[in-house]
Amino acid sequence: MAKDNVIFISNHNIQVIKGSCDRNDMIKIESYHDYYLDEGSMINGVITDDQPIKEILDTIHGNGVKTCRLVIDSGQIIVKNMNVPFLKKKEIVKIVQDELAAVDQSYEDLIYDYSVLRKNYEDQPGGEILCCALERKLLTSYVELFENAGIKLTNVDISVNALQKLTEELPDLEHKTYIVSIIDGNNVSSYLFEDNHYTFSNRTRLFSERGTNAFITEMNSNISQLIQFNKSKRSLYTIETAYFCGLADDEEPIVMANIKENLNINAQVFPNSKVVYVTDAILANDFKLHDYIYPVGSLIRK
């Protein structure tokens, strides 16, 4: 059972988690740490000032991290679900390229990849995949930054894929239909899961000050949009709960109460799980899964 270091760089901090996922899909976390990042160093997943990030990576390297898996979260990453027949990997990548190249003509020199969301039944070979594309220069900016810090990247994951890998392993979410809304500064990424299967996401920028009535209204509107999307496509599944990550302590009760009252669904912080545990008893007391959704999900090798 190999242990991995996973690094995720948000708009306001750099997270480092060391852990593993065993054959029984138990996720063991040996250590976790947050490093405060100067505002403006990272905007929407794009490195705008590499020096503060490099200094933190130097510290991380000095603490013994020589290799890591990286999670990238950016509005510049193109994602789409699609069904494909049973084909070789090169043939699927070609389908992904043809599908995503037409999504937005403003991108240049895209890199394409995919992950399998679920396989079809035996009488229907193939399955559903998550298609992904991002500009080479975006990925290169990360690779070069880590190389300069002496940290080798062994794998690069994207946030939505890390999240869907995590939710797939949590027994408490089995057969549930819900939204996961992750707030990172003024960015909100919301993901719709139907029968615990990722189907759609949106990403918006908040225009109001955090904690204000206008902020609460924006959060309400964001969740409402996914509820309406779920209804518009006449889904067989009804959204039961909205889970939140990244809310401040004083924002949580107000946002939850507003969602419950106005949208008539349950609202709560994304909960801890028995399959995700911290091996150090002292560190375990302060660990909250909703603070480390993306890096924990990237510990799962699938």
Side-chain angles (χ1 to χ4, degrees):
M1 183 174 58
K3 295 179 181 178
D4 290 307
N5 297 298
V6 179
I7 294 179
F8 169 62
I9 308 175
S10 74
N11 288 332
H12 61 277
N13 70 1
I14 296 180
Q15 298 180 330
V16 184
I17 278 187
K18 183 177 183 179
S20 60
C21 182
D22 65 21
R23 294 180 180 178
N24 296 318
D25 294 331
M26 298 295 291
I27 303 169
K28 300 179 181 179
I29 297 171
E30 186 174 302
S31 63
Y32 61 93
H33 196 85
D34 284 48
Y35 297 85
Y36 173 77
L37 185 62
D38 291 345
E39 185 176 354
S41 301
M42 177 76 71
I43 299 177
N44 193 24
V46 177
I47 300 168
T48 52
D49 184 359
D50 61 1
Q51 188 56 38
I53 302 173
K54 170 66 163 51
E55 291 175 359
I56 295 174
L57 292 180
D58 286 339
T59 300
I60 294 171
H61 179 265
N63 290 335
V65 176
K66 310 301 180 185
T67 63
C68 79
R69 302 163 71 89
L70 172 67
V71 186
I72 299 177
D73 177 51
S74 174
Q76 294 193 16
I77 299 175
I78 307 170
V79 294
K80 183 178 182 180
N81 289 26
M82 67 179 298
N83 288 294
V84 295
F86 181 75
L87 298 168
K88 294 180 180 179
K89 183 173 182 177
K90 288 184 178 180
E91 295 172 320
I92 295 178
V93 171
K94 182 61 170 62
I95 291 177
V96 171
Q97 181 175 349
D98 293 341
E99 183 73 20
L100 296 186
V103 171
D104 193 328
Q105 300 294 330
S106 65
Y107 291 96
E108 298 179 353
D109 193 16
L110 291 171
I111 298 174
Y112 302 91
D113 203 353
Y114 71 94
S115 64
V116 178
L117 292 175
R118 60 181 172 185
K119 297 180 180 179
N120 289 337
Y121 297 108
E122 292 182 2
D123 60 339
Q124 296 178 324
E128 186 177 6
I129 63 172
L130 175 67
C131 308
C132 163
L134 74 163
E135 288 187 312
R136 189 179 303 273
K137 64 181 181 182
L138 176 63
L139 180 58
T140 300
S141 66
Y142 282 94
V143 173
E144 291 179 347
L145 186 58
F146 276 76
E147 284 182 350
N148 291 335
I151 301 175
K152 180 181 179 182
L153 294 179
T154 59
N155 175 274
V156 178
D157 206 351
I158 61 171
S159 54
V160 60
N161 190 55
L163 177 61
Q164 73 87 18
K165 287 190 297 182
L166 174 63
T167 54
E168 192 177 66
E169 302 302 328
L170 303 183
D172 292 342
L173 297 180
E174 187 174 4
H175 299 308
K176 289 190 175 182
T177 296
Y178 55 91
I179 295 167
V180 180
S181 188
I182 301 176
I183 301 94
D184 178 16
N186 289 324
N187 289 327
V188 182
S189 298
S190 296
Y191 306 88
L192 173 61
F193 290 80
E194 297 179 340
D195 193 26
N196 201 28
H197 174 70
Y198 168 75
T199 58
F200 181 75
S201 62
N202 67 20
R203 187 182 184 95
T204 59
R205 180 170 177 79
L206 297 169
F207 293 99
S208 54
E209 184 179 348
R210 293 285 298 265
T212 63
N213 289 333
F215 164 74
I216 296 168
T217 300
E218 282 195 77
M219 293 302 301
N220 189 298
S221 176
N222 186 267
I223 299 299
S224 178
Q225 287 176 18
L226 285 185
I227 293 175
Q228 294 306 314
F229 171 81
N230 171 261
K231 291 179 178 179
S232 68
K233 65 188 189 72
R234 298 182 179 179
S235 172
L236 298 175
Y237 307 98
T238 301
I239 297 172
E240 307 160 3
T241 305
Y243 294 107
F244 291 90
C245 308
L247 288 173
D249 291 343
D250 60 337
E251 294 172 340
E252 288 178 5
I254 304 173
V255 171
M256 308 301 177
N258 190 275
I259 296 293
K260 291 177 183 178
E261 180 180 352
N262 292 294
L263 301 181
N264 197 31
I265 63 172
N266 184 35
Q268 66 183 79
V269 172
F270 195 93
N272 284 347
S273 172
K274 293 181 179 179
V275 303
V276 181
Y277 66 96
V278 180
T279 57
D280 185 292
I282 297 177
L283 292 176
N285 290 331
D286 295 324
F287 180 79
K288 294 179 175 61
L289 180 56
H290 65 81
D291 289 332
Y292 300 93
I293 287 287
Y294 294 143
V296 171
S298 196
L299 285 172
I300 303 168
R301 294 187 173 211
K302 287 186 178 180

